Structures are given as C-alpha cells and as structure tokens.
Amino acid sequence: MTSASLHPAAGPARRTVMAAAGAAGLAAALTACGSGDDSSGTAGTGSGSGGSAQDGAGAALARTADIPEGGGKIFKDQGVVVTQPSAGTYKAFSSQCTHQGCAVGSVANGVIVCPCHNSEFSVTDGSVKKGPATQPLPAAKITVSGDEIALA
C-alpha cells in the first residue's frame, strides 16, 4: 500500500483556478477595449440640420472659431474630438483610444494624442500616426451649420 492511495483525488490546483480566472478577465477587458462603432461617418463643411434621435444629436458642441486649424478640441462628455485639418473643414472622431480605451488627451500640430501610451492619430482621418495603437479612431457624425458645430 502506498501513501498516494490514502488521499482522495484533488480538484484543480489553486494556481490553475487563478490562471483561468485571470485569463477570463483579460479576455473580457480586451474585448471591451477593442470594440468600436462601425456605423459612424464624418461630415465636412456644409449646411444641414441632420438631427436624429440619438443621445446628444443636434446639440451644439462648439462654434467653428473654437476649433483651431490643424488642431481640435476634445468633448469628454460627448466622447468625441472635433478637428479642423484645413481651413473650413471639420471632422469628428471618437475620443476613446483604440489601443486600450483611454480618453485622448490633446490635439495639436495635426495629431490627436493619447496620454496613456502616446499613440498619435491624424486630425484629417483618425488614422494611426504613431503606435502602439494599430486601429484608427472611429469617425463620428457632426453637422456644420453657419458657425455652429453639432452632433448629427
């Protein structure tokens, strides 16, 4: 008779359970950070009210004079960043970095910068200019009517 036969079979080791729980949490976090809204688009200059039933739609964000040429402004509460890549052309993008979901922190010199890992995105099209992000910022819909910029 051996000593191994005196002990009942044990369940999974504590390390195995902890590793599985950690992997499940990591998978959930990566899924949340990598999700994006593919239904968004951009609006250049133009007129039109375009309001819809979406939250915040039609609400004025800023005046065109508030958005510097070659730069932009971040609207944290609405989750968007509005840029003016060239005189009179306005674009909008999600303010959530596609790398790990941090909120972008600044807009200047033609780039939108995420403060978490210094990813940089183009003010023209939201494309990645400098990683670690690998996906562009999703476009958001805005309207420009006169000197007023609003969510579409």
Side-chain angles (χ1 to χ4, degrees):
M1 189 149 93
T2 64
S3 62
S5 64
L6 298 175
H7 299 288
R14 181 175 184 268
R15 245 183 228 169
T16 304
V17 172
M18 295 304 289
L26 178 62
L30 289 176
T31 300
C33 288
S35 66
D37 182 359
D38 294 333
S39 65
S40 56
T42 62
T45 59
S47 60
S49 56
S52 70
Q54 297 174 358
D55 288 340
L61 288 174
R63 298 222 173 267
T64 55
D66 296 337
I67 311 300
E69 186 176 343
K73 187 172 179 182
I74 300 164
F75 298 90
K76 291 180 184 180
D77 291 343
Q78 292 81 9
V80 298
V81 57
V82 177
T83 65
Q84 184 179 188
S86 59
T89 301
Y90 300 91
K91 303 285 183 167
F93 307 96
S94 168
S95 63
Q96 183 177 1
C97 180
T98 57
H99 176 235
Q100 288 190 340
C102 295
V104 296
S106 62
V107 186
N109 302 317
V111 294
I112 302 164
V113 181
C114 177
C116 293
H117 299 103
N118 294 318
S119 289
E120 295 180 358
F121 303 90
S122 168
V123 297
T124 303
D125 60 8
S127 63
V128 176
K129 291 294 189 183
K130 178 181 146 195
T134 59
Q135 298 295 314
L137 291 176
K141 292 183 181 182
I142 57 170
T143 60
V144 179
S145 181
D147 68 345
E148 190 174 275
I149 300 170
L151 289 173

